[in-house]
Amino acid sequence: MNLLEIEAQKSAIMPPTRAPPNYSDFVCVDDFEQFALKVLPVNAKDYYKSGACAQETLRNNKEAFRRLRIRPRVMRDLSKRTLVTDALGHPVQIPIGVSPAAMQKLAHEEGEIGNAAAVGEVGGIYILSTISTTSIEELAEKTPQTTKWFQLYIYRDREITKSLVQRAEKAGYKALVLTVDTNVFGTRYADIRNKFNMPSHLKLANFSGKLSQLSNTSDSSSLLAYITSQLDETINWSDVTWLKTITKLPIVLKGILTAEDAKIGVEMGASAIMVSNHGGRQLDYVPASIEALPEIAKAVGHKVDVYLDGGVRYGTDVFKALALGAKMVFVGRPALWGLAHSGKSGVRKVLDILINEFDQALALSGCTSVGEIQREMVVHETYYSKL
C-alpha cells in the first residue's frame, strides 16, 4: 500500500479536525445532521446513517410522524408549565432520553462521555451500548450526575453477559435495556461496501483481548462478523427469565413491535417495553415505531412503562409519541449528529432544541404538563378526510 492509499484509508475512518463550535446557523436537528454528514469520515457516516436493505423502515420512522396531526385546545392558562415525567417509578426532568448507539468515538473524541454528560445536564436518561468505546466503569466515573441505563446483548458465552450485568449494577446503572431484536444481524449494504471497521486506536471498551476488537474481513463488515460470532441465535423468552435470576435491576425490553410480544414480555417480568425497530437497521418493511406504539400502549401501558425509540426529530414528535401512549422517547442519531459537531456542547444544543420545541408544542396544544396530553389530541392525517 503506497502513501496515498494509506492517507485515503485514514481519512475514511478518522474524524477530521473540527472548527470551534458555532451555532448561529444551527436551529433544528436537521442542521446538525447535514453538518455531520459533511464532516464525518465515510466509514462512520454510513454506519450511523444507514438502515437495512432498501431502508424503507428507516425512512418511514420519520415519515410516519409527519402523517400525524395534532388537535390543539385553546384559551387555557399556560403560564406555569412543567416537563417532568417519571420512568421506572422515578422522576425525570424531561420525557427525552438518548438511545444506545455503538462506538460513539467514531463521531467525536469525547464519545459516550460527552453524550452522557449533556444528557445529565438537561435531566434526561442516557443508555450506554454494550458495544461502546467507553467502558461501563469510566462512564459512571466521568458522568456521576447522569441517570444511566445499560443496553445489553446476550452473548453465546453467558458468563460474558453475566459479567456485564454485574459490572453495570456495581457501577450504579439504574436499569438494563435488553435488545430483543438481534438474534440475527440485519443486512446493511453501506457497511458491507465500506468493509466497516474501527480505527486501530479505538476499542470496544467493555471487553479485553479479541472481544475488544472487530475482526478484519476482506469482503464484508467487521461488525457483522463480530455480531455473528458472538451473539446467540438461540435467544428466546427463557433468557429473560434467566436474566431476572442474576440481577435486581429492572429490565426494559427494547425492540418490540407487536402487542403480542409486549404481553409476553410483561408476563416474563419486564418492567418496561421500548417500542423500537432498531433505527430501521434490522428487518426492513416493519412498522415505524410510532405506528406500532398505539397497539402496544393499549395492550400493556396500564401495567408497565412504554417508551419509544426511532424517528424523533422535532418536539412535536415527542408530543405525538406521548399522546399515543409513550412515557418517554429516546433519540439516537440526533445525539450523534450533535456529538459530531462539537462533542458534549453539540449534544446539549440538540437536546435544548428538542426540549424547547416540545415545550412550545405542549403549550400551543393547550397543555401545561405531560399528564395533560390526551390520546385524542393526535390523529392520523386521514381523520380529517373522513369528516
Side-chain angles (χ1 to χ4, degrees), residues 72 109 127 135 159 164 173 196 204 228 253 305 310 352 368:
E109 62 183 6
I127 306 176
S135 71
E159 289 303 310
L164 290 168
Y173 289 68
F196 175 83
L204 300 182
T228 301
L253 300 183
D305 286 357
D352 284 343
T368 61

Side-chain angles (χ1 to χ4, degrees), residues 47 102-103 131 185 188 191 195-198 204 214-215 217 220-229 281:
Y47 171 70
M103 299 174 284
I131 310 176
F185 203 55
R188 304 166 193 172
D191 289 349
K195 299 179 176 58
F196 175 83
N197 202 359
M198 283 198 305
L204 300 182
L214 298 183
S215 302
T217 62
S220 188
S221 158
S222 59
L223 181 60
L224 173 60
Y226 179 91
I227 295 294
T228 301
S229 66
R281 295 161 71 80

Side-chain angles (χ1 to χ4, degrees), residues 85-122:
T85 186
D86 65 87
L88 299 177
H90 299 283
V92 184
Q93 295 305 303
I94 56 171
I96 302 169
V98 169
S99 299
M103 299 174 284
Q104 293 180 18
K105 288 185 181 179
L106 289 173
H108 191 278
E109 62 183 6
E110 292 178 14
E112 292 84 359
I113 293 171
N115 204 338
V119 176
E121 289 180 355
V122 298

Side-chain angles (χ1 to χ4, degrees), residues 36-164:
L37 296 183
K38 289 178 182 177
V39 302
L40 282 173
V42 171
N43 195 54
K45 175 188 70 174
D46 286 352
Y47 171 70
Y48 287 145
K49 78 179 182 70
S50 63
C53 294
Q55 303 188 112
E56 182 61 27
T57 298
L58 176 66
R59 286 187 289 270
N60 196 34
N61 267 349
K62 292 192 289 187
E63 289 299 322
F65 273 107
R66 294 172 186 169
R67 293 191 290 268
L68 297 173
R69 303 289 179 258
I70 296 173
R71 299 176 66 244
R73 302 300 303 276
V74 298
M75 294 298 288
R76 295 181 173 184
D77 182 354
L78 304 172
S79 59
K80 296 180 180 179
R81 299 191 301 279
T82 177
L83 305 185
V84 172
T85 186
D86 65 87
L88 299 177
H90 299 283
V92 184
Q93 295 305 303
I94 56 171
I96 302 169
V98 169
S99 299
M103 299 174 284
Q104 293 180 18
K105 288 185 181 179
L106 289 173
H108 191 278
E109 62 183 6
E110 292 178 14
E112 292 84 359
I113 293 171
N115 204 338
V119 176
E121 289 180 355
V122 298
I125 293 172
Y126 179 82
I127 306 176
L128 178 68
S129 171
T130 291
I131 310 176
S132 59
T133 43
T134 303
S135 71
I136 293 168
E137 293 81 7
E138 184 182 7
L139 189 73
E141 179 185 349
K142 297 290 180 59
T143 61
Q145 303 305 315
T146 304
T147 299
K148 293 173 287 292
W149 297 352
F150 181 66
Q151 177 270 332
L152 184 69
Y153 287 115
I154 294 182
Y155 279 67
R156 293 177 186 270
D157 182 348
R158 295 299 192 270
E159 289 303 310
I160 294 174
T161 305
K162 185 176 181 179
S163 174
L164 290 168

